[in-house]
Amino acid sequence: MESDDAASAESRKRKREEYEMQLFGFHSRAVYATLKNIVMERIQSRSKKLCETLEKIYKPDSENLAVLKANEERLVKAYYAASVPYLKNIENIVNKFIAVPDNVLADEDKLQGVQYTEAEFECMRGKLEEFQQRAKRATILNAALKEELQLIEQSSICADNIDRLSHIIESGIACPDISDKIHQLVEDYKRFSALFEDGAPVSQNSLYNRIDDLNCTDCDMDTL
């Protein structure tokens, strides 16, 4: 159980350090390690200077010099043991000042910032499927509209060609004006009908020569 708690605490600490690196460019563990190294260097430096001073003053022989070196190492360990509570305070202060609030999320965790229930998730899934169906229908409608637009463009081209050909025909071929001849034909038909209704004999001259002011001579076709 204790190992699980320690592993969970370490995981949370590493996660916090990842956030600190993204926001600050460094994390609390590195800052504490730097301060701890400074303290250890000071302890070693002071202990070494103390032993060197004793060596210069008393000039011990080789045996006493070995004892002095051993005492130097024990002195460093004693100073370090005495500094552990202070180092713990330093670590707490570093964690306090270099800390990311719980409401701040990393970019990869922002999607998990909002949690949904199962019902809300199913509702969103239904809306997504509906949007997908709408997108499919819109795609089909767009394709149909494009096809219809192409047909309209082709029809417009055909209509333009027909108008152009009609203009060419109308401008190149002049149609004769036959309105007067039609009027004359109607008048001749009326006269012809009137002759039949009156029962009067119709000469071949009046029947076949409908041109006004034309002097013709009747001929017997049998004697020719």
Side-chain angles (χ1 to χ4, degrees):
M1 182 65 68
E2 293 180 358
S3 61
D4 294 339
D5 293 340
S8 179
E10 181 65 19
S11 177
R12 290 194 300 270
K13 186 175 182 180
R14 290 187 178 277
K15 191 67 176 179
R16 187 184 71 247
E17 290 173 356
E18 291 179 3
Y19 281 20
E20 292 169 355
M21 282 295 298
Q22 291 184 8
L23 295 175
F24 308 129
F26 56 87
H27 53 76
S28 57
R29 191 193 298 263
V31 175
Y32 171 69
T34 301
L35 296 176
K36 182 179 178 180
N37 290 334
I38 293 173
V39 172
M40 291 301 299
E41 289 176 358
R42 292 289 181 88
I43 291 174
Q44 293 174 355
S45 176
R46 294 297 175 86
S47 299
K48 184 177 181 179
K49 287 182 178 180
L50 178 60
C51 293
E52 289 177 350
T53 301
L54 293 175
E55 184 180 355
K56 289 180 180 180
I57 294 174
Y58 295 102
K59 294 181 175 54
D61 54 15
S62 59
E63 183 179 355
N64 290 328
L65 183 60
V67 173
L68 183 61
K69 295 294 183 183
N71 289 333
E72 179 183 351
E73 293 179 359
R74 286 196 294 270
L75 182 63
V76 170
K77 292 180 180 179
Y79 273 125
Y80 176 73
S83 66
V84 168
Y86 300 99
L87 291 174
K88 188 64 178 177
N89 291 335
I90 292 174
E91 183 180 9
N92 293 333
I93 293 172
V94 169
N95 292 334
K96 179 180 179 181
F97 282 94
I98 305 176
V100 179
D102 295 335
N103 61 335
V104 177
L105 297 176
D107 293 338
E108 63 271 14
D109 295 334
K110 287 183 179 180
L111 296 177
Q112 301 177 3
V114 180
Q115 301 294 329
Y116 296 97
T117 63
E118 187 68 23
E120 291 174 339
F121 181 75
E122 291 297 330
C123 181
M124 288 188 293
R125 176 182 293 178
K127 290 182 178 180
L128 178 60
E129 293 178 354
E130 182 181 356
F131 290 150
Q132 290 176 346
Q133 293 296 327
R134 289 183 180 180
K136 290 181 180 179
R137 290 194 296 268
T139 302
I140 296 174
L141 179 60
N142 187 28
L145 291 176
K146 286 183 177 179
E147 184 177 357
E148 185 174 357
L149 181 60
Q150 291 177 355
L151 293 175
I152 293 174
E153 291 177 352
Q154 293 176 358
S155 300
S156 300
I157 293 174
C158 293
D160 293 339
N161 292 334
I162 292 173
D163 292 339
R164 186 168 60 256
L165 291 175
S166 299
H167 178 71
I168 293 172
I169 293 172
E170 291 176 356
S171 60
I173 301 175
C175 297
D177 187 6
I178 59 173
S179 58
D180 295 338
K181 294 183 179 181
I182 293 175
H183 179 70
Q184 183 65 36
L185 179 61
V186 172
E187 293 296 330
D188 292 341
Y189 175 76
K190 289 180 179 180
R191 290 171 57 189
F192 185 75
S193 298
L195 292 174
F196 276 100
E197 290 176 358
D198 294 341
V202 180
S203 64
Q204 292 183 353
N205 183 17
S206 62
L207 180 61
Y208 296 104
N209 298 308
R210 304 308 305 164
I211 301 176
D212 295 337
D213 300 330
L214 179 64
N215 296 323
C216 299
T217 303
D218 293 335
C219 297
D220 188 0
M221 299 301 294
D222 295 334
T223 60
L224 294 177

